[in-house]
Amino acid sequence: MIKLAYAILDRPKIELPLKKITVKKGDILQRKGDINTKAYIVESGLLRSYTIDDKGKEHIYMFGPENWLVADICETNTPCQLYIDVIEDAVLEVASKEELMERGPDIDALLRRLNTMQARIIMLMSSNAIDRYEHFIQTYPNIIQRVPLKMIASYLGITPEALSRVRNELSHRK
Amino acid sequence: MIKLAYAILDRPKIELPLKKITVKKGDILQRKGDINTKAYIVESGLLRSYTIDDKGKEHIYMFGPENWLVADICETNTPCQLYIDVIEDAVLEVASKEELMERGPDIDALLRRLNTMQARIIMLMSSNAIDRYEHFIQTYPNIIQRVPLKMIASYLGITPEALSRVRNELSHRK
DNA sequence: CCTATGCCTTGATGTACATCAAGAAAAAAA
DNA sequence: TTTTTTTCTTGATGTACATCAAGGCATAGG
């Protein structure tokens, strides 16, 4: 009977039609503190999620290119932690988190994301600026052409100046 | 019919009996590079998972106190990233990840973990040593008495010396 | 019990990266 | 186009934390 549940889970998901919206560069989809925020599936374009710390500095948490699910992981009715805005004009599917759950949670996607985050945490704890940058260009080779370097710096947890010097250093090495 | 699958998911899980083992302080349960590693549910005691970087330095990824699920998130047949060992004598339930999945994936637990990791990433990117420590003692008040400070330093991504000075500073501030 | 090992602290020094400031180049706006 | 705004770079300086070294306390093992 366990097997039964598993088999049902494993069936191709039935895709409910979700609301589709078009957004423009610069639009803000979610602010820190909003409640009952939506989840966005990126069909085309590019999103980013980020925080702003007490000193007013932005820290990019994640980029959301095509096919990514961008959402703040927080419980119903509790304020969210992240801002989400639009870096490149985008077409999005919008869903409440409940709708997504009803579609059937995508366990593989969740596990993949956990894996990504695990790798990021390990990187943040153990790598210097150069290694972080090299790791980034390997992991997201297609993002790098699409966003200003200062956003990549923000994602890596360093300043734009430091990133500039890292790139300089790397290009001079042979 | 979506509803059907959802209802089944939502039923109280049928708990298969899992293998139970007793392990002692210092035992190593998993090494970086192992494949098809197990998942451990901590019934009592305390585990930790960590990496060792190229300079031989340990970075604690996560503590595993009572009721935690400790596992490396990696795909079947690919080498894992983390070491797992025993900090306090422990009783564990051991399961292959497949067994866990058959029990029915615990979505809530997955989401909670994602949330924890999100908070950790944000913290690592934006906080200094003092804030990290204060965040830690708020989030894990019961862990702090149970592990040597150098492990907490390792979890926070700072050196034991730096942690010592942080604590000093905090106790002198009134 | 004594000895050894690990843990925590403190000081001196080093370093990676941040901050501040300014200018050139590129992109966006007008 | 010209103007304005952003982006990127480079240099000078500052700082948070790392590293290295040593000593005092515990705790554990023989």
Side-chain angles (χ1 to χ4, degrees), chain A residues 148-150 161 164-165 168:
Chain A
L149 289 176
K150 63 174 207 164
E161 294 93 328
S164 175
R165 287 182 247 259
N168 210 325

Side-chain angles (χ1 to χ4, degrees), chain B residues 15-85:
Chain B
E15 303 286 320
L16 295 176
L18 295 177
K19 202 168 69 176
K20 198 171 287 194
I21 63 172
T22 301
V23 291
K24 297 193 76 64
K25 181 173 171 174
D27 288 354
I28 296 180
L29 302 177
Q30 171 184 313
R31 283 169 215 275
K32 188 181 190 171
D34 285 355
I35 58 175
N36 295 329
T37 55
K38 302 291 184 181
Y40 302 97
I41 298 167
V42 181
E43 204 162 87
S44 68
L46 185 60
L47 305 185
R48 93 223 238 235
S49 60
Y50 60 101
T51 41
I52 301 181
D53 68 23
D54 3 308
K55 289 167 218 133
K57 197 165 164 183
E58 284 177 17
H59 301 273
I60 294 185
Y61 172 69
M62 192 168 271
F63 292 107
E66 290 77 10
N67 295 317
W68 270 74
L69 171 69
V70 177
D72 204 323
I73 317 287
C74 61
E75 320 206 353
T76 332
N77 283 317
T78 57
C80 66
Q81 297 185 70
L82 299 171
Y83 294 80
I84 298 177
D85 69 9

Side-chain angles (χ1 to χ4, degrees), chain B:
Chain B
M1 50 178 54
I2 300 289
K3 282 289 175 193
L4 174 70
Y6 194 54
I8 288 177
L9 263 179
D10 229 18
R11 266 192 221 156
K13 311 271 180 342
I14 295 140
E15 303 286 320
L16 295 176
L18 295 177
K19 202 168 69 176
K20 198 171 287 194
I21 63 172
T22 301
V23 291
K24 297 193 76 64
K25 181 173 171 174
D27 288 354
I28 296 180
L29 302 177
Q30 171 184 313
R31 283 169 215 275
K32 188 181 190 171
D34 285 355
I35 58 175
N36 295 329
T37 55
K38 302 291 184 181
Y40 302 97
I41 298 167
V42 181
E43 204 162 87
S44 68
L46 185 60
L47 305 185
R48 93 223 238 235
S49 60
Y50 60 101
T51 41
I52 301 181
D53 68 23
D54 3 308
K55 289 167 218 133
K57 197 165 164 183
E58 284 177 17
H59 301 273
I60 294 185
Y61 172 69
M62 192 168 271
F63 292 107
E66 290 77 10
N67 295 317
W68 270 74
L69 171 69
V70 177
D72 204 323
I73 317 287
C74 61
E75 320 206 353
T76 332
N77 283 317
T78 57
C80 66
Q81 297 185 70
L82 299 171
Y83 294 80
I84 298 177
D85 69 9
V86 182
I87 299 181
E88 287 172 5
D89 294 359
V91 177
L92 310 173
E93 292 188 302
V94 189
S96 70
K97 284 153 197 171
E98 290 70 24
E99 281 175 297
L100 272 191
M101 282 315 216
E102 282 181 21
R103 279 177 87 172
D106 184 339
I107 305 295
D108 276 352
L110 277 177
L111 288 179
R112 246 179 291 119
R113 173 150 308 185
L114 274 170
N115 200 302
T116 307
M117 293 170 80
Q118 175 173 311
R120 180 118 184 258
I121 288 173
I122 291 171
M123 194 198 67
L124 284 172
M125 286 203 299
S126 61
S127 299
N128 61 17
I130 290 187
D131 294 344
R132 290 184 199 185
Y133 178 67
E134 290 191 316
H135 180 267
F136 180 83
I137 53 183
Q138 295 215 12
T139 315
Y140 304 99
N142 42 336
I143 297 283
I144 200 165
Q145 288 90 341
R146 297 167 62 182
V147 304
L149 289 176
K150 62 174 208 163
M151 286 192 188
I152 294 176
S154 167
Y155 179 90
L156 296 178
I158 61 179
T159 58
E161 293 94 330
L163 178 56
S164 175
R165 288 183 247 258
V166 161
R167 285 162 56 85
N168 211 325
E169 157 93 5
L170 283 178
S171 71
H172 276 282
R173 277 191 197 172
K174 116 147 230 347

